[in-house]
Structures are given as structure tokens and as C-alpha cells.
Amino acid sequence: MMRPTLFALALTLAAPALAAAPDDPITPAPTPRDWQELARRPDWSGSWFPVISDQFAQVTTNPPPWKPEVKKQIDYWDAEEKAGRPRGLLLDCLPHGVPSFYLITHNSIEILSTPGRVTILGESDGNRLVRIWTDGRKAPVDPDPSFHGYNIGVWQGDTLAVSTTAILPQTWLAVSEAVGIAIGEGAHVEQQFHLIRPDTLAVDLTITAPAVLTHPWQTRRLFTRKRARSFEIGEGVCRQGDFEETTDKWGNPAWRPVAQSADGNALAPPAK
């Protein structure tokens, strides 16, 4: 057992490491006025479902301005999909990431508003989470890149304008769940969220990806709102299908891996 004097010395030595760095601002606790301010924001409650037919229409009538060498790759993967050999961009269970979080999602989302932040939750897997900071902060000078990037939001009336930077270069810039290309270094995505009808949310995107696009791509995605409880988003675990229910040697509920083929599909159990 550590003696009291040694324990006190250990706490003293550890204290500087626990303190916030001088250049690390503290996010203040919300005030009653901050909570009241939310009542003046547009109502985005409920579950929002992507208009998938509009996704396809956008890609057909307004395709990304791919660089010539990238367009050859896109054409190859598009031909593979049409031939019944889709690549499956999302089989590895990694997050969709921005901008594909909006471009090709086939699952519903939920939008939560709290003081200083808007949070978007996605249904398809446990990694779909976008934090949009609306507390007036600036983007970090040297941020750690992530799939969904660092999101700074500014309210412009009833429109939320968002600037996303620090996106991992491996994040997909996709036009379907089988056709896309890694977005590359230096990507920047601007979004404008606004209602165009009481139950229709538009997300207008301007995607700058100098590694793969000749110029910024402007496109729109639509989401429709459902308020019935049967449409509430559920827990999504993308790897759950890779396991089957079983019991351990003591009879406790457990999971065991399902045998899979090289393309990620479950194999039939061996014949007994």
C-alpha cells in the first residue's frame, strides 16, 4: 500500500499533466439563454429519409467533374457494377465519411440540436456521427484528419452553412455504393442545410477535391421527414451480420463468426 506522503507526492507530480494546455480553450457550460436560442432555430426533429431516386438523378444529370485519369477508373467500376460484379465500397465497415454521408446514404438520419452544436446520427452503422460546431470556434490549425472531418457551422437565418475540412484522404467520394474514388488530400466540403418544404430538407454541397476533380462540384441531396414512431432510426451495427447467435461452454448467450467468402458474403454452413 502506498504511504500517504508518497501518494500526495504522486498526485502533485501528475497534476500538470491533467491540467488543460494554455492554448486549449474551455467550452463554457450552456446558459439558459443558449437553450432559449434553440427555440428560434428551424425544427429539424423527426427521422429524415434520403430520396434515393433523386440521388440517382443527380449523378446522371450532374456528374462529378472527374479528372480524365480518374474518369477511367470510375468508368471501370461502373462497368463492373453493371456487369453484376459490384465492388462494394462499404463492405469493410468503415464510416461513409463526408461527403458520401450525404451523397449515397440509403439509411435514415436524425438531427439533434444543442447549444453550440448540431449532431447528425446515421442509422446504417455505429460509426455514422457528424458533429457540427456552431459555437463560433475556428477550425484547428493542425487538426487530426477523420472520415467526417472537422465541421464548423454558421447559422444564416434558417440555413445552417457548414465548412468541412481535415477529411482523411482515404474517404470515398462516391456516386453509388459500388462506384467511387478516394477523395485525396486537400478536400474541402461546404454544405447548406435548409428546408425547402415543411418536411423536405435540402443539403446543397460544394465539393472541392483537387486530387480527383477538375473543379468544385455543386450538387444537392434531399431528405424527407417521417414522424411516426415506426420510422424512428434503429441501432445499426454493420458487423453484426458477420456473426451468428450461439452460447458459450457455460450456456451464456454469445456470438461466433460466420464463415465468409472473399467478397464479404456469408458462406453456407458445412454439411453435416
Side-chain angles (χ1 to χ4, degrees):
M1 181 180 295
M2 184 179 292
R3 288 181 295 178
T5 54
L6 294 178
F7 181 68
L9 177 60
L11 287 179
T12 302
L13 293 175
L18 298 176
D23 59 348
D24 187 9
I26 299 297
T27 300
T31 66
R33 183 176 179 179
D34 293 329
W35 287 104
Q36 292 169 3
E37 179 68 20
L38 294 177
R40 292 192 282 270
R41 298 302 180 197
D43 173 22
W44 291 349
S45 60
S47 298
W48 295 95
F49 287 74
V51 182
I52 298 174
S53 59
D54 181 72
Q55 292 181 17
F56 293 139
Q58 285 284 327
V59 172
T60 301
T61 61
N62 177 30
W66 303 114
K67 288 185 173 181
E69 62 273 21
V70 174
K71 182 64 164 59
K72 294 178 182 178
Q73 300 177 54
I74 294 297
D75 289 344
Y76 171 81
W77 292 116
D78 184 55
E80 286 291 285
E81 182 181 28
K82 292 177 179 176
R85 297 184 296 270
R87 175 168 47 163
L89 302 182
L90 309 173
L91 289 178
D92 53 15
C93 223
L94 294 173
H96 286 49
V98 171
S100 293
F101 183 88
Y102 310 110
L103 292 176
I104 63 166
T105 180
H106 291 173
N107 297 84
S108 58
I109 62 174
E110 184 178 14
I111 303 174
L112 308 178
S113 296
T114 52
R117 194 168 98 178
V118 172
T119 305
I120 304 179
L121 306 175
E123 185 178 45
S124 67
D125 64 66
N127 292 319
R128 297 190 64 197
L129 170 65
V130 177
R131 297 182 179 92
I132 301 171
W133 299 103
T134 60
D135 57 2
R137 71 179 64 190
K138 304 295 183 182
V141 175
D142 186 23
D144 293 326
S146 62
F147 286 94
H148 296 112
Y150 202 91
N151 299 272
I152 300 294
V154 177
W155 284 102
Q156 300 171 347
D158 287 341
T159 295
L160 179 61
V162 181
S163 175
T164 304
T165 54
I167 302 171
L168 279 171
Q170 297 89 345
T171 300
W172 295 114
L173 174 50
V175 294
S176 77
E177 292 189 353
V179 181
I181 198 78
I183 201 167
E185 299 284 353
H188 176 207
V189 181
E190 297 177 3
Q191 306 115 72
Q192 290 191 322
F193 297 78
H194 57 105
L195 293 172
I196 58 175
R197 288 183 291 276
D199 290 320
T200 302
L201 178 72
V203 183
D204 295 322
L205 301 107
T206 300
I207 301 168
T208 301
V212 296
L213 300 180
T214 59
H215 60 271
W217 179 36
Q218 294 183 327
T219 187
R220 167 179 282 190
R221 293 297 181 269
L222 299 177
F223 294 79
T224 57
R225 173 161 43 196
K226 304 291 185 182
R227 291 195 181 277
R229 291 188 179 182
S230 57
F231 288 101
E232 291 176 352
I233 68 173
E235 181 180 71
V237 182
C238 68
R239 288 295 307 277
Q240 187 169 343
D242 296 341
F243 299 85
E244 62 183 358
E245 297 180 10
T246 185
T247 56
D248 63 19
K249 64 179 181 180
W250 294 284
N252 300 309
W255 300 101
R256 63 185 173 196
V258 174
Q260 291 184 330
S261 62
D263 60 4
N265 293 315
L267 296 175
K272 295 183 180 180

